[in-house]
Amino acid sequence: MNWTAYVDGYCERTAPGLWGEPLNDLANLAFLGAAGMVWWQADGQRTGRVLASLIGLIFVASGVFHLVATRWGAVADSAAILIFTLFYAAVFPRVFFRVKATWAWLGAPVFLALTGVSAVLGGGLYLPALVGLAGFAVALAVKRDPYWLHFVMAAAVFALSLSFRTIDGVVCGDFPVGTHFLWHLLNAVVLYVVAKAMIGKTREAPSPG
């Protein structure tokens, strides 16, 4: 496989070059802003700082990909998002349902398996994240945990974000810059909302070992 192969997957990019997607690159700054706000709200809390660092990693990986537009950049971009998601899937049951860490970490391989199945069946890599957010909202609503509203909001925004990512290639004729930049902006909101919920819940009571 040629890892340096050119990737042209978005309306805005029309040729190779570091500044071929200026709007997508600038929209990446939303991830940096989200990372900074999460770090500030964490106020020294370890889980919050890890989440902030992982959002920062998404900013770097996505920024590099939209600059270099290569296959290795695309893999780095997807990997950064996956790392955040797997970490969150592992920590969520421990923080919100006080499941012991030994069992809570099973959330990561379970989510990874669901992502693989979704990709094979044509559901894409991001559908499981949307289902997961909705599932978190339902589980917390049943538990009567007020944080369920955070996940309803996150799921709604992510659904809209995923829609903009999906139609990017469709609207090129009428909207040459495409809609992928909105995927960045809205995803930054999603990451901030779920990270804020995690930080708030962690402060309520220490999680079990």
Side-chain angles (χ1 to χ4, degrees), residues 92 130-140:
F92 178 86
L130 177 59
V131 173
L133 288 171
F136 290 168
V138 171
L140 292 177

Side-chain angles (χ1 to χ4, degrees), residues 5-99:
Y6 172 58
V7 175
D8 181 6
Y10 307 104
C11 286
E12 190 178 19
R13 180 168 289 280
T14 57
L18 289 179
W19 201 236
E21 301 174 50
L23 194 55
N24 286 339
D25 286 318
L26 290 173
N28 271 317
L29 292 173
F31 293 124
L32 182 61
M37 289 191 292
V38 171
W39 184 276
W40 176 73
Q41 291 205 2
D43 194 25
Q45 184 192 101
R46 185 174 62 180
T47 299
R49 286 193 168 182
V50 171
L51 290 172
S53 298
L54 292 179
I55 297 173
L57 179 63
I58 292 173
F59 160 70
V60 172
S62 181
V64 168
F65 171 49
H66 289 288
L67 282 172
V68 302
T70 58
R71 187 171 289 160
W72 69 262
V75 172
D77 182 23
S78 297
I81 297 172
L82 182 60
I83 290 170
F84 178 94
T85 307
L86 292 178
F87 178 79
Y88 204 96
V91 175
F92 178 86
R94 182 165 59 90
V95 172
F96 285 91
F97 288 89
R98 300 190 57 76
V99 176

Side-chain angles (χ1 to χ4, degrees), residues 31 34 38 55 58 84 186-196:
F31 293 124
V38 171
I55 297 173
I58 292 173
F84 178 94
L186 293 175
N187 274 358
V189 174
V190 172
L191 294 172
Y192 172 74
V193 169
V194 298
K196 182 179 179 181

